[in-house]
Amino acid sequence: MTPLLKLVKKQDTISLIILILLIPVVTRLSKRINFIYILLTSNYVTLILNITYLVIMYKKVMVINGINHTLILRQGYKNTKHNIYAFMILTTLLFLAILYGFLFLVYGISQMSIKLLLMLVIYTLIFLFEISIIYLQFNRKSNILYIALPIIINLVYHYMFF
């Protein structure tokens, strides 16, 4: 797992934090709505923030594919696969926790309903599913489907339900 931590680049982290901090500026809602509503209905979060994160993770897997022969020789194929998947899931959960935490601090939890909470859980599971699709690129030739399919799923979920 330690060699994978070197994949976390400072410029990627800073750009994601800046994109998260821009949410209140871009959404500009006149009335206070809870953070889950903003997360699920904001086009900015779906079109810019989520897709940026998916592309960053896609690029990370491409970098891993370039060095995977050394990782596999040192750790073994099965351990390498598990470590890469764990790295991707943990960084995604950290990203979502930062996003949810920031939105919670800015917009609060007023007008909460069980339906919105369920949609938040579904949103998280779908995002983890999208990351899992990107993970499937590991140890394979680069293919545009590994990034196109998660982006399409992201957009379909957003525009079908909201």
Side-chain angles (χ1 to χ4, degrees):
M1 190 74 131
T2 305
L4 296 175
L5 291 178
K6 293 179 183 177
L7 289 174
V8 179
K9 299 292 183 197
K10 201 181 302 186
Q11 63 265 24
D12 292 339
T13 307
I14 291 171
S15 64
L16 284 173
I17 289 173
I18 289 171
L19 288 174
I20 289 172
L21 292 174
L22 284 175
I23 292 173
V25 175
V26 176
T27 55
R28 281 196 262 162
L29 293 173
S30 58
K31 59 181 180 174
R32 295 205 37 107
I33 300 175
N34 66 25
F35 78 100
I36 299 172
Y37 184 79
I38 296 295
L39 178 74
L40 298 174
T41 60
S42 172
N43 287 332
Y44 173 77
V45 172
T46 301
L47 296 176
I48 306 297
L49 191 61
N50 288 354
I51 291 175
T52 301
Y53 183 78
L54 291 171
V55 168
I56 287 172
M57 290 308 287
Y58 177 76
K59 287 181 179 181
K60 299 299 179 200
V61 174
M62 288 177 57
V63 168
I64 291 169
N65 279 339
I67 61 170
N68 71 356
H69 60 284
T70 58
L71 288 173
I72 291 172
L73 287 175
R74 200 172 86 212
Q75 297 180 350
Y77 183 71
K78 193 173 185 179
N79 284 338
T80 303
K81 279 178 51 173
H82 290 295
N83 286 341
I84 291 170
Y85 190 64
F87 168 76
M88 292 180 71
I89 293 297
L90 290 175
T91 54
T92 301
L93 289 174
L94 179 64
F95 166 73
L96 290 175
I98 292 169
L99 177 63
Y100 296 166
F102 177 76
L103 289 174
F104 176 75
L105 289 174
V106 172
Y107 294 104
I109 197 162
S110 64
Q111 302 172 3
M112 186 61 165
S113 71
I114 193 72
K115 180 183 173 189
L116 282 177
L117 188 60
L118 181 62
M119 294 303 276
L120 178 69
V121 170
I122 292 171
Y123 177 85
T124 304
L125 292 175
I126 287 177
F127 206 75
L128 290 173
F129 178 70
E130 293 167 3
I131 292 299
S132 297
I133 291 173
I134 292 173
Y135 163 76
L136 292 175
Q137 179 191 348
F138 172 69
N139 211 19
R140 292 185 176 84
K141 284 182 132 181
S142 182
N143 191 338
I144 195 71
L145 286 176
Y146 292 114
I147 188 63
L149 190 57
I151 290 173
I152 290 170
I153 291 170
N154 188 32
L155 295 174
V156 166
Y157 176 73
H158 177 71
Y159 288 113
M160 289 292 285
F161 294 105
F162 300 101

